[in-house]
Amino acid sequence: MKHLLTTKELTRDEAELILDVTEQMAEAVTGREVPKLPALRGRTVVNLFFEDSTRTRTSFETAAKRLSADVVNFAAKTSSISKGESLRDTALTLQAMGADAVVIRHPAAGAPQRLTEWIDGAVLNAGDGTHAHPTQALLDAYTMKRRLGAIEGRTVAIVGDILHSRVARSNVWLLSKLGANVRLVGPPTLLPKDIDEWPVEVGYDLDASLKGVDAVMMLRVQRERMHAAFFPTANEYARLYGLDERRLRLLPDHAIVMHPGPMNRGMEIAATVADSPRATITEQVTNGVWVRMAVLYLLLTNGASR
Ligand code: CP
């Protein structure tokens, strides 16, 4: 594994290795007075973000710094890209500066793959269009493993705007590979046309689909990617597909509530549910740092070929 572009292309062994090293990273750093390891001293990690981000960008930055790497944050809005510079020329510039890893978020699906043609270092996909967000799925899987004890045999419902969700796609491939049963639930207009080819069950009735789940993952309604009316009103969406307190009571006692963030409180998830003890939303953010430490470590030290 030289790059991390999608979860679809990870083998089960590679995915399990990442989750194991994630656990080791968490154990190595938690409780230390200085939460840093020297593993990537002298290495340079570039954060190249063409789309807004709160969690992913800061999480990669924190992860790289905890491994003692040098971090360069490169925001497209304040770079020469705003003057028309191409992705290829930007990549060649980063290559000339000796980037060991480039973390890229881009609105176009496939942009991280293109970057691998121009960069000698590792490329890590931090979200490309509606295509993939592999580290989000890995941190979700790690959170489930910690909270539920295992992933094999567990049932996970992913609810809402599946059509526009790179998080849903990456979770489907990863969780099914790790032996989970994945249920996708949403309005027919927000499910992809090729869903029959995915390794999932599909449901349209949220109340029925919550029965027997171990985890429910609510997805953000991505209005910025919607160029048509996919549902009548926000209230109608919340009534049919929002996770409110009544629906929370339909879940088995041990089941957890997940959301990748950012959230539309009051739409796909009620504020009281997002803030309830059943929700793992901030824990997912914490776990994201360990996962990104593991991935950076494995890619930059050839640990993935262990
Ligand atoms: N979950 C996620 O990708 O969040 P950001 O857009 O804030 O990075």
Side-chain angles (χ1 to χ4, degrees):
M1 187 170 65
K2 176 157 192 249
H3 309 290
L4 179 62
L5 303 179
T6 68
T7 53
K8 196 173 184 180
E9 69 195 15
L10 284 178
T11 65
R12 182 167 179 158
D13 281 352
E14 285 171 337
E16 285 176 345
L17 174 63
I18 293 170
L19 298 180
D20 288 348
V21 174
T22 298
E23 184 73 47
Q24 290 164 21
M25 291 295 169
E27 282 170 8
V29 170
T30 304
R32 278 171 80 123
E33 198 175 330
V34 180
K36 276 185 106 149
L37 303 174
L40 297 186
R41 192 177 286 153
R43 303 299 194 91
T44 300
V45 175
V46 177
N47 272 330
L48 178 58
F49 276 62
F50 294 82
E51 246 187 26
D52 294 341
S53 169
T54 299
R55 280 147 286 268
T56 312
R57 196 192 62 71
T58 51
S59 180
F60 267 112
E61 180 173 355
T62 305
K65 286 181 172 168
R66 288 200 176 157
L67 291 169
S68 306
D70 297 318
V71 180
V72 178
N73 285 315
F74 184 101
K77 282 176 192 155
T78 54
S79 75
S80 289
I81 288 160
S82 66
K83 302 175 196 162
E85 185 163 68
S86 68
L87 179 60
R88 181 171 180 276
D89 284 335
T90 303
L92 294 178
T93 303
L94 300 177
Q95 170 70 22
M97 287 178 188
D100 294 294
V102 178
V103 178
I104 177 171
R105 171 169 287 192
H106 200 285
Q113 174 72 52
R114 290 289 283 160
L115 202 63
T116 64
E117 296 164 22
W118 306 312
I119 297 257
D120 288 339
V123 174
L124 293 91
N125 182 1
D128 61 331
T130 60
H131 176 226
H133 193 352
T135 55
Q136 179 67 48
L138 285 160
L139 75 87
D140 292 336
Y142 180 72
T143 304
M144 286 178 215
K145 196 174 162 196
R146 285 194 81 159
R147 282 295 198 107
L148 305 173
I151 294 173
E152 177 98 46
R154 302 297 189 265
T155 297
V156 182
I158 304 179
V159 182
D161 182 2
I162 312 287
L163 181 66
H164 300 104
S165 178
R166 55 197 179 204
V167 175
R169 282 172 181 76
S170 289
N171 266 294
V172 164
W173 297 115
L174 181 64
L175 293 173
S176 58
K177 199 168 303 202
L178 293 172
N181 310 308
V182 182
R183 271 180 207 166
L184 299 184
V185 191
T189 49
L190 288 175
L191 294 172
K193 288 194 173 55
D194 65 348
I195 198 109
D196 293 346
E197 293 160 30
W198 296 20
V200 296
E201 298 166 26
V202 178
Y204 305 102
D205 176 342
L206 182 54
D207 286 9
S209 299
L210 293 178
K211 296 213 169 71
V213 299
D214 299 290
V216 57
M217 186 183 299
M218 304 307 296
L219 298 174
R220 183 172 69 88
V221 176
Q222 299 192 38
R223 292 186 174 196
E224 75 278 15
R225 296 193 206 274
M226 293 186 186
H227 306 296
F230 288 86
F231 47 84
T233 64
N235 281 347
E236 177 80 351
Y237 183 90
R239 191 174 65 76
L240 291 173
Y241 292 103
L243 189 62
D244 56 14
E245 290 193 52
R246 181 188 68 77
R247 287 196 169 115
L248 191 66
R249 289 193 290 273
L250 298 179
L251 293 172
D253 289 345
H254 71 277
I256 56 172
V257 174
M258 309 178 76
H259 195 303
M263 291 181 276
N264 296 306
R265 283 174 184 257
M267 195 164 179
E268 72 266 5
I269 188 164
T272 48
V273 176
D275 296 331
S276 81
R278 309 284 294 273
T280 59
I281 297 161
T282 52
E283 193 177 319
Q284 288 167 255
V285 175
T286 304
N287 291 340
V289 175
W290 315 132
V291 160
R292 290 170 178 125
M293 286 175 76
V295 170
L296 285 168
Y297 171 78
L298 288 167
L299 291 178
L300 292 180
T301 64
N302 292 324
S305 55
R306 284 194 291 176

